[in-house]
PDB file of all heavy atoms in Angstrom:
ATOM      1  N   ILE A 107      78.637  81.867 116.882  1.00  0.00           N
ATOM      2  CA  ILE A 107      77.743  82.788 117.593  1.00  0.00           C
ATOM      3  C   ILE A 107      78.530  83.584 118.638  1.00  0.00           C
ATOM      4  O   ILE A 107      78.336  84.799 118.789  1.00  0.00           O
ATOM      5  CB  ILE A 107      76.577  82.010 118.239  1.00  0.00           C
ATOM      6  CG1 ILE A 107      75.657  81.472 117.144  1.00  0.00           C
ATOM      7  CG2 ILE A 107      75.786  82.892 119.195  1.00  0.00           C
ATOM      8  CD1 ILE A 107      74.604  80.496 117.627  1.00  0.00           C
ATOM      9  N   ASP A 108      79.453  82.911 119.328  1.00  0.00           N
ATOM     10  CA  ASP A 108      80.283  83.620 120.322  1.00  0.00           C
ATOM     11  C   ASP A 108      81.061  84.748 119.661  1.00  0.00           C
ATOM     12  O   ASP A 108      81.179  85.852 120.195  1.00  0.00           O
ATOM     13  CB  ASP A 108      81.292  82.654 120.960  1.00  0.00           C
ATOM     14  CG  ASP A 108      80.652  81.746 121.978  1.00  0.00           C
ATOM     15  OD1 ASP A 108      79.499  82.036 122.379  1.00  0.00           O
ATOM     16  OD2 ASP A 108      81.282  80.749 122.371  1.00  0.00           O
ATOM     17  N   TYR A 109      81.637  84.454 118.484  1.00  0.00           N
ATOM     18  CA  TYR A 109      82.438  85.449 117.771  1.00  0.00           C
ATOM     19  C   TYR A 109      81.590  86.662 117.418  1.00  0.00           C
ATOM     20  O   TYR A 109      81.957  87.808 117.674  1.00  0.00           O
ATOM     21  CB  TYR A 109      83.041  84.828 116.506  1.00  0.00           C
ATOM     22  CG  TYR A 109      83.807  85.833 115.667  1.00  0.00           C
ATOM     23  CD1 TYR A 109      85.157  86.092 115.902  1.00  0.00           C
ATOM     24  CD2 TYR A 109      83.163  86.540 114.647  1.00  0.00           C
ATOM     25  CE1 TYR A 109      85.845  87.027 115.150  1.00  0.00           C
ATOM     26  CE2 TYR A 109      83.851  87.478 113.904  1.00  0.00           C
ATOM     27  CZ  TYR A 109      85.188  87.716 114.153  1.00  0.00           C
ATOM     28  OH  TYR A 109      85.867  88.658 113.413  1.00  0.00           O
ATOM     29  N   CYS A 110      80.445  86.387 116.810  1.00  0.00           N
ATOM     30  CA  CYS A 110      79.584  87.487 116.351  1.00  0.00           C
ATOM     31  C   CYS A 110      79.083  88.299 117.543  1.00  0.00           C
ATOM     32  O   CYS A 110      79.051  89.538 117.501  1.00  0.00           O
ATOM     33  CB  CYS A 110      78.398  86.941 115.550  1.00  0.00           C
ATOM     34  SG  CYS A 110      78.898  86.089 114.038  1.00  0.00           S
ATOM     35  N   THR A 111      78.709  87.607 118.627  1.00  0.00           N
ATOM     36  CA  THR A 111      78.183  88.301 119.801  1.00  0.00           C
ATOM     37  C   THR A 111      79.273  89.176 120.426  1.00  0.00           C
ATOM     38  O   THR A 111      79.041  90.341 120.761  1.00  0.00           O
ATOM     39  CB  THR A 111      77.680  87.281 120.841  1.00  0.00           C
ATOM     40  OG1 THR A 111      76.759  86.402 120.201  1.00  0.00           O
ATOM     41  CG2 THR A 111      77.004  87.978 122.004  1.00  0.00           C
ATOM     42  N   HIS A 112      80.468  88.630 120.571  1.00  0.00           N
ATOM     43  CA  HIS A 112      81.553  89.411 121.175  1.00  0.00           C
ATOM     44  C   HIS A 112      81.859  90.649 120.352  1.00  0.00           C
ATOM     45  O   HIS A 112      82.016  91.752 120.877  1.00  0.00           O
ATOM     46  CB  HIS A 112      82.813  88.561 121.312  1.00  0.00           C
ATOM     47  CG  HIS A 112      83.947  89.299 121.942  1.00  0.00           C
ATOM     48  ND1 HIS A 112      84.127  89.347 123.312  1.00  0.00           N
ATOM     49  CD2 HIS A 112      84.954  90.051 121.412  1.00  0.00           C
ATOM     50  CE1 HIS A 112      85.187  90.081 123.593  1.00  0.00           C
ATOM     51  NE2 HIS A 112      85.706  90.516 122.462  1.00  0.00           N
ATOM     52  N   HIS A 113      81.933  90.481 119.024  1.00  0.00           N
ATOM     53  CA  HIS A 113      82.289  91.632 118.189  1.00  0.00           C
ATOM     54  C   HIS A 113      81.175  92.657 118.105  1.00  0.00           C
ATOM     55  O   HIS A 113      81.440  93.833 117.838  1.00  0.00           O
ATOM     56  CB  HIS A 113      82.731  91.164 116.795  1.00  0.00           C
ATOM     57  CG  HIS A 113      84.169  90.760 116.741  1.00  0.00           C
ATOM     58  ND1 HIS A 113      85.160  91.618 116.329  1.00  0.00           N
ATOM     59  CD2 HIS A 113      84.787  89.611 117.103  1.00  0.00           C
ATOM     60  CE1 HIS A 113      86.339  91.002 116.416  1.00  0.00           C
ATOM     61  NE2 HIS A 113      86.135  89.791 116.893  1.00  0.00           N
ATOM     62  N   THR A 114      79.939  92.259 118.333  1.00  0.00           N
ATOM     63  CA  THR A 114      78.848  93.226 118.370  1.00  0.00           C
ATOM     64  C   THR A 114      78.899  94.021 119.668  1.00  0.00           C
ATOM     65  O   THR A 114      78.813  95.244 119.676  1.00  0.00           O
ATOM     66  CB  THR A 114      77.485  92.519 118.261  1.00  0.00           C
ATOM     67  OG1 THR A 114      77.419  91.859 117.007  1.00  0.00           O
ATOM     68  CG2 THR A 114      76.340  93.515 118.368  1.00  0.00           C
ATOM     69  N   HIS A 115      79.044  93.311 120.775  1.00  0.00           N
ATOM     70  CA  HIS A 115      78.955  93.981 122.074  1.00  0.00           C
ATOM     71  C   HIS A 115      80.251  94.678 122.470  1.00  0.00           C
ATOM     72  O   HIS A 115      80.254  95.507 123.358  1.00  0.00           O
ATOM     73  CB  HIS A 115      78.555  92.972 123.158  1.00  0.00           C
ATOM     74  CG  HIS A 115      77.173  92.436 122.967  1.00  0.00           C
ATOM     75  ND1 HIS A 115      76.718  91.271 123.549  1.00  0.00           N
ATOM     76  CD2 HIS A 115      76.130  92.893 122.236  1.00  0.00           C
ATOM     77  CE1 HIS A 115      75.469  91.043 123.198  1.00  0.00           C
ATOM     78  NE2 HIS A 115      75.082  92.014 122.403  1.00  0.00           N
ATOM     79  N   HIS A 116      81.362  94.336 121.817  1.00  0.00           N
ATOM     80  CA  HIS A 116      82.645  94.927 122.198  1.00  0.00           C
ATOM     81  C   HIS A 116      83.289  95.681 121.039  1.00  0.00           C
ATOM     82  O   HIS A 116      84.495  95.851 121.018  1.00  0.00           O
ATOM     83  CB  HIS A 116      83.600  93.820 122.663  1.00  0.00           C
ATOM     84  CG  HIS A 116      83.163  93.153 123.922  1.00  0.00           C
ATOM     85  ND1 HIS A 116      83.654  93.485 125.170  1.00  0.00           N
ATOM     86  CD2 HIS A 116      82.260  92.172 124.132  1.00  0.00           C
ATOM     87  CE1 HIS A 116      83.080  92.730 126.087  1.00  0.00           C
ATOM     88  NE2 HIS A 116      82.218  91.919 125.503  1.00  0.00           N
ATOM     89  N   HIS A 117      82.481  96.149 120.078  1.00  0.00           N
ATOM     90  CA  HIS A 117      83.084  96.768 118.904  1.00  0.00           C
ATOM     91  C   HIS A 117      83.787  98.075 119.237  1.00  0.00           C
ATOM     92  O   HIS A 117      84.608  98.552 118.455  1.00  0.00           O
ATOM     93  CB  HIS A 117      82.035  96.996 117.800  1.00  0.00           C
ATOM     94  CG  HIS A 117      81.047  98.081 118.109  1.00  0.00           C
ATOM     95  ND1 HIS A 117      79.976  97.898 118.930  1.00  0.00           N
ATOM     96  CD2 HIS A 117      81.015  99.372 117.708  1.00  0.00           C
ATOM     97  CE1 HIS A 117      79.287  99.027 119.021  1.00  0.00           C
ATOM     98  NE2 HIS A 117      79.892  99.944 118.306  1.00  0.00           N
ATOM     99  N   ASN A 118      83.492  98.654 120.408  1.00  0.00           N
ATOM    100  CA  ASN A 118      84.176  99.891 120.801  1.00  0.00           C
ATOM    101  C   ASN A 118      85.428  99.648 121.620  1.00  0.00           C
ATOM    102  O   ASN A 118      86.091 100.598 122.033  1.00  0.00           O
ATOM    103  CB  ASN A 118      83.230 100.796 121.597  1.00  0.00           C
ATOM    104  CG  ASN A 118      82.309 101.555 120.669  1.00  0.00           C
ATOM    105  OD1 ASN A 118      82.669 101.859 119.539  1.00  0.00           O
ATOM    106  ND2 ASN A 118      81.105 101.850 121.136  1.00  0.00           N
ATOM    107  N   ASP A 119      85.728  98.379 121.899  1.00  0.00           N
ATOM    108  CA  ASP A 119      86.954  98.090 122.666  1.00  0.00           C
ATOM    109  C   ASP A 119      88.162  98.512 121.854  1.00  0.00           C
ATOM    110  O   ASP A 119      88.101  98.643 120.635  1.00  0.00           O
ATOM    111  CB  ASP A 119      87.051  96.576 122.916  1.00  0.00           C
ATOM    112  CG  ASP A 119      86.127  96.126 124.027  1.00  0.00           C
ATOM    113  OD1 ASP A 119      85.304  96.955 124.485  1.00  0.00           O
ATOM    114  OD2 ASP A 119      86.222  94.954 124.415  1.00  0.00           O
ATOM    115  N   ASN A 120      89.323  98.650 122.539  1.00  0.00           N
ATOM    116  CA  ASN A 120      90.507  99.038 121.767  1.00  0.00           C
ATOM    117  C   ASN A 120      91.010  97.850 120.950  1.00  0.00           C
ATOM    118  O   ASN A 120      90.737  96.690 121.258  1.00  0.00           O
ATOM    119  CB  ASN A 120      91.589  99.662 122.654  1.00  0.00           C
ATOM    120  CG  ASN A 120      92.289  98.635 123.509  1.00  0.00           C
ATOM    121  OD1 ASN A 120      92.804  97.642 123.004  1.00  0.00           O
ATOM    122  ND2 ASN A 120      92.297  98.874 124.809  1.00  0.00           N
ATOM    123  N   GLN A 121      91.733  98.187 119.904  1.00  0.00           N
ATOM    124  CA  GLN A 121      92.123  97.215 118.895  1.00  0.00           C
ATOM    125  C   GLN A 121      92.945  96.078 119.507  1.00  0.00           C
ATOM    126  O   GLN A 121      92.779  94.911 119.135  1.00  0.00           O
ATOM    127  CB  GLN A 121      92.938  97.939 117.806  1.00  0.00           C
ATOM    128  CG  GLN A 121      93.093  97.168 116.504  1.00  0.00           C
ATOM    129  CD  GLN A 121      91.774  96.805 115.865  1.00  0.00           C
ATOM    130  OE1 GLN A 121      90.773  97.525 116.000  1.00  0.00           O
ATOM    131  NE2 GLN A 121      91.717  95.689 115.191  1.00  0.00           N
ATOM    132  N   GLU A 122      93.808  96.407 120.457  1.00  0.00           N
ATOM    133  CA  GLU A 122      94.681  95.369 121.045  1.00  0.00           C
ATOM    134  C   GLU A 122      93.864  94.328 121.766  1.00  0.00           C
ATOM    135  O   GLU A 122      94.138  93.125 121.658  1.00  0.00           O
ATOM    136  CB  GLU A 122      95.656  96.022 122.040  1.00  0.00           C
ATOM    137  CG  GLU A 122      96.844  96.659 121.341  1.00  0.00           C
ATOM    138  CD  GLU A 122      97.745  97.361 122.327  1.00  0.00           C
ATOM    139  OE1 GLU A 122      97.599  97.138 123.539  1.00  0.00           O
ATOM    140  OE2 GLU A 122      98.587  98.144 121.868  1.00  0.00           O
TER     141      GLU A 122
END
Side-chain angles (χ1 to χ4, degrees):
Chain A
I107 291 170
D108 284 346
Y109 176 88
C110 297
T111 307
H112 181 88
H113 276 264
T114 298
H115 294 161
H116 294 262
H117 71 280
N118 280 330
D119 283 8
N120 73 54
Q121 196 58 31
E122 279 177 14

